[in-house]
Amino acid sequence: MKEKLILIGNGMAGIRTLEEILKRNPDRFEITVFGKEPHPNYNRILLSSVLQGDTGVSDIVLNDYDWYKNNNITLYVGDPVVEIDTKNQVVYSEGGISSSYDHLIFATGSNPFMLPLPGADKKDVMAFRDIKDCEKMIEASKKYKKAAVIGGGLLGLEAARGLLNLDMEVDVIHLADHLMERQLDEPAARMLKEELVSQGMRFHMGKQTERILGKENVEGLRFKDGQVLDADIVVMAVGIKPNIDLAQKTKLETNRAIVINDYMETSAKNVYAVGECAEHRGIAYGLVAPLYEQGKVLAEHLCDKERKLKPGYQGSLVYTQLKVSGVDVFSAGQFQDQEGYRAIRVHDEFDGIYKKVVVKDNKVVGAVLFGDTSDSPRLLDMMKKGEDISEMNKVALLPSENGDAATESPVASMAAEETICGCNGVSKGAIVQAIHEQGLSTVEEIKQYTNAARSCGGCKPLVNDVLALTLGDEVAGADQKEPICGCTDYSHEEVVEEIKEKGLTHTREVMNVLGWKNDEGCSKCRPAINYYLGMVKPLEYEDDHTSRFINERVHANIQNDGTYSVVPRMYGGVTDSDQLRKIADVADKYKVGLLKVTGGQRIDLLGVKKEDLPSIWSDLDMPSGYAYGKTIRTVKTCVGEDFCRFGTQDSIGLGVQIEKKYERLNTPHKVKMAVSACPRNCAESGIKDIGIVGVEGAWEMYVGGNGGVDLRGGDLLCKVKTSEEVLDTISAFLQYYREDARYLERTSHWVERVGLDHIRSVVMDDQEERQALIERMEVALSPLKDPWKDIVEDEAKRKELFENKNVQVTQQ
Ligand SMILES: Cc1cc2nc3c(=O)[nH]c(=O)nc-3n(C[C@H](O)[C@H](O)[C@H](O)COP(=O)(O)OP(=O)(O)OC[C@H]3O[C@@H](n4cnc5c(N)ncnc54)[C@H](O)[C@@H]3O)c2cc1C
Ligand SMILES: NC(=O)c1ccc[n+]([C@@H]2O[C@H](COP(=O)([O-])OP(=O)(O)OC[C@H]3O[C@@H](n4cnc5c(N)ncnc54)[C@H](O)[C@@H]3O)[C@@H](O)[C@H]2O)c1
Ligand code: SF4
Ligand code: FES
């Protein structure tokens, strides 16, 4: 007769424990699982991705119903255990099932902590813990516009990003003075906040909520300082409480959670606990990595009790990563400054990178990384091993990103024992071994076999790199394909092909015909589809402005305080007294907060109210500078031959001509250009998407430069003699970029991905193709008109966009 094993809690820690048991001894136990939620085991971590629209609920199931059947596990879902008789070793469920056990595992997880505020019982006050909560938020976003998230920790910020993706306006209310204070120090938290503000979140720091306002429905919040905030829904993300009600009723020893020893044993015989409901040496963990380590120890212990001779669970080093796109942040161990600890810091304000490594007694004991987290596996490994760094050059702990290391995957230089997947504790060596021994050739296979990338998914790029490095050219082609987002399995290239092949003409049609998993799409796929449709059919396609980001929808840049900036076009950076007078008058009339000369040689009017935008555009009577769009931004010029003694060419004339020709053109990402009249390069042509430099009797054309986060010098594409040839080459290059690059891929990344030689062969060498591209560019340019003028003259548009308070916000 098999021994009977009962698991209470069908969640992440409990089921992982069963997987570990089945791996060691599949026939040892007769297993029964009771789960309170009406679902098979799913990846709770990826609820953030579901909310953010990157994946669907059905995609996050970790073990489907067949898995339980195939492993002879009896599963009761939607049926919580309500009573336990530890003397006779029997559990009783709410649905009336009684079941005896030889071994019983508690894995009941946590409940979200709900602040006991007046008004917190209203229907639209919710938590973010399970599928039900996630669905509730998605439903609410269809009815309401304003979300207040209480708590600026990991969960609150991931919820806030999701709600933004659902087109809600989001206010985050945080008790402490800086975000994620349990994981970040002040500089990193400040940089994080700046990034999130630029994504569209609004923050209320150091605020304590006193009451949730409204009669039946939520209408807002009132803070202790008397300030009131409008809101239609409230999401509480202020921490968790281990779920120990049943354990307490069963008289197990509890503290904050169920007290366990190094073998996960509780105070009752044959009763164990793992996961968030368990407390080991005073710590109840809230991240999966330690919970999985506990599961492994318990599985070993249950499968072979003699192993008790081994040391058992010793506690875990925890680390966190925030799952918000566009944000790279990592925190581990002891990261705060305190006596006896010293720190190495790198703070690059230009590129938005901050790194801090905390050292005590010559050992790395903590780290905070923002903007570039590529050092995290190495630092984590040093922390785990307690490596002595006294012989080391301390600065070498944080190598700079220059040189080959910047382009090479960090995996290449990683030692075999370094951790690739923190959630599941899988090293590079273990993955390489599995690839060789099991003949694995895709990330999916590695996931199934080693568990790497099976939880938060943050390590997937590294796993992919290990695969590529190990197999070289043999890597299975299928795995190289990157879907646009979680709404679909189609890649960018495939969507463009399908649009062309099937003659698709609008966003919803693309999503319907291609079987989008999420009917509404998300903020990743909708703008991309909108761009591709316009690129394929420039004359016929009517732009779907609801699929655009807020800046592109209102033709102005939203600022961190909710106001907007207005940047009128100044061709080639040239202006005159009339324009300057008009700008000055507008600045006075509308009380513009700040006038600022931009890096692109124009004037930015900052601090403008949204409702004033159309009148300002009308008063200025200048074209939009498109400072907000995925389009041609500026053509910067130097003074050139007219005034400069080194100038041999008319850089201003050429720059103005270029800007007038290509302004308003939709491109996969923003495009910046520059024309300098000699190699001294005063217009910085070397770091532009297209940079032109005058040399004796000719123009050199550089492409793929970037002066932003990924600093890159442009590559010399060609040297041409006349300005006509410059314009033709720009047309061919830009049109090929428009047609071939993925949406949101800068020219710098595109040039690196497809290679300069290839681009040159298409836009320079193949005369037929060059001519065809130039002609298609002329077609693409022909229907474009100034959006500001268009809105000023179109009352319906003006009303819809600027007088309707419910204009949706999708930020990138
Ligand atoms: C949105 C979100 C994002 C997250 N992101 C990350 C991340 O990026 N990285 C990370 O490491 N962690 C993350 N976490 C935390 C992680 O999901 C948890 O640490 C992990 O799920 C805890 O596992 P568990 O098995 O202890 O609890 P759970 O996964 O909560 O499972 C417990 C289960 O037990 C059930 N249960 C409770 N009482 C009973 C009963 N009496 N009878 C039967 N069943 C019962 C519950 O309904 C639940 O299904 C995230 C959490 C959330 C909510
Ligand atoms: N990426 C990840 O690793 C990830 C993502 C989501 C959730 N989680 C886990 O889920 C659990 C829950 O996350 P969490 O962020 O709710 O917990 P948390 O305890 O990490 O953060 C809660 C935050 O809420 C703030 N807070 C507390 N009371 C408040 C109040 N009255 N008003 C405003 N702010 C208040 C706190 O200052 C704190 O920063 C944690 O265990 C977390 O580790 C992890
Ligand atoms: S790039 Fe050459 S021509 Fe132009 S301003 Fe500078 S020095 Fe003069
Ligand atoms: S680091 Fe989370 S799944 Fe690998």
Side-chain angles (χ1 to χ4, degrees), residues 381-609:
D381 199 54
M382 293 173 108
M383 279 185 246
K384 278 187 184 160
K385 286 188 196 149
E387 205 172 305
D388 190 316
I389 58 162
S390 46
E391 298 296 312
M392 236 178 161
N393 170 2
K394 306 291 177 294
V395 179
L397 280 173
L398 292 171
S400 89
E401 268 235 309
N402 295 330
D404 289 347
T407 48
E408 204 175 55
S409 161
V411 160
S413 56
M414 277 170 77
E417 65 273 19
E418 279 185 46
T419 304
I420 293 279
C421 174
C423 289
N424 294 285
V426 188
S427 67
K428 174 182 166 184
I431 297 175
V432 172
Q433 192 180 352
I435 292 171
H436 287 313
E437 289 180 1
Q438 307 300 322
L440 312 181
S441 61
T442 65
V443 172
E444 201 47 45
E445 285 171 355
I446 294 175
K447 209 162 145 181
Q448 292 313 324
Y449 194 79
T450 66
N451 279 330
R454 198 170 163 229
S455 305
C456 74
C459 60
K460 205 171 156 195
L462 293 184
V463 174
N464 203 32
D465 287 352
V466 177
L467 186 65
L469 275 169
T470 313
L471 293 186
D473 294 341
E474 296 164 44
V475 177
D479 214 62
Q480 301 293 312
K481 182 179 121 175
E482 270 291 327
I484 288 190
C485 63
C487 303
T488 179
D489 293 332
Y490 282 92
S491 66
H492 288 264
E493 290 79 3
E494 286 169 338
V495 169
V496 175
E497 273 313 300
E498 294 288 332
I499 289 174
K500 288 183 184 161
E501 213 168 272
K502 299 196 164 71
L504 307 176
T505 55
H506 55 269
T507 324
R508 285 206 179 269
E509 189 186 13
V510 173
M511 297 195 291
N512 283 342
V513 172
L514 303 187
W516 241 236
K517 294 174 210 163
N518 172 6
D519 290 351
E520 294 298 316
C522 70
S523 64
K524 273 193 186 164
C525 58
R526 282 184 54 173
I529 299 172
N530 184 46
Y531 167 75
Y532 293 137
L533 286 164
M535 181 271 288
V536 172
K537 289 254 161 34
L539 297 183
E540 292 88 343
Y541 183 59
E542 195 170 323
D543 191 68
D544 169 17
H545 78 273
T546 62
S547 289
R548 286 192 176 263
F549 299 119
I550 177 70
N551 291 345
E552 296 189 348
R553 236 179 290 169
V554 297
H555 294 281
N557 260 326
I558 191 165
Q559 305 296 312
N560 58 9
D561 59 356
T563 62
Y564 287 80
S565 82
V566 172
V567 184
R569 178 106 27 221
M570 282 178 182
Y571 298 99
V574 179
T575 185
D576 59 27
S577 52
D578 268 355
Q579 281 185 347
L580 292 175
R581 217 166 278 122
K582 269 196 279 189
I583 291 174
D585 288 345
V586 161
D588 285 347
K589 180 169 167 190
Y590 296 93
K591 302 196 172 30
V592 165
L594 180 73
L595 282 170
K596 166 98 181 62
V597 176
T598 71
Q601 301 183 332
R602 24 222 218 153
I603 294 177
D604 195 348
L605 292 84
L606 290 140
V608 170
K609 288 198 223 101

Side-chain angles (χ1 to χ4, degrees), residues 7-15 34-37 41-48 76 79-82 106-111 128-130 155 158 240 243 246 274-277 285-292 319-323 423 455-456:
L7 170 67
I8 310 177
N10 192 20
M12 297 191 73
I15 295 298
F34 288 88
K36 191 162 155 188
E37 293 182 69
N41 174 237
Y42 65 88
N43 189 342
R44 194 172 303 286
I45 295 179
L46 292 189
L47 286 176
S48 299
Y76 298 104
D79 192 7
V81 169
V82 287
F106 263 80
T108 49
S110 296
N111 290 320
F128 184 21
R129 178 72 194 179
D130 55 25
L155 187 65
E158 291 182 13
I240 49 176
N243 184 358
L246 181 64
V274 285
E276 285 185 349
C277 66
Y285 294 94
L287 294 165
V288 288
L291 313 185
Y292 287 168
Y319 86 94
T320 40
Q321 268 173 313
L322 182 70
K323 304 189 296 298
C423 289
S455 305
C456 74

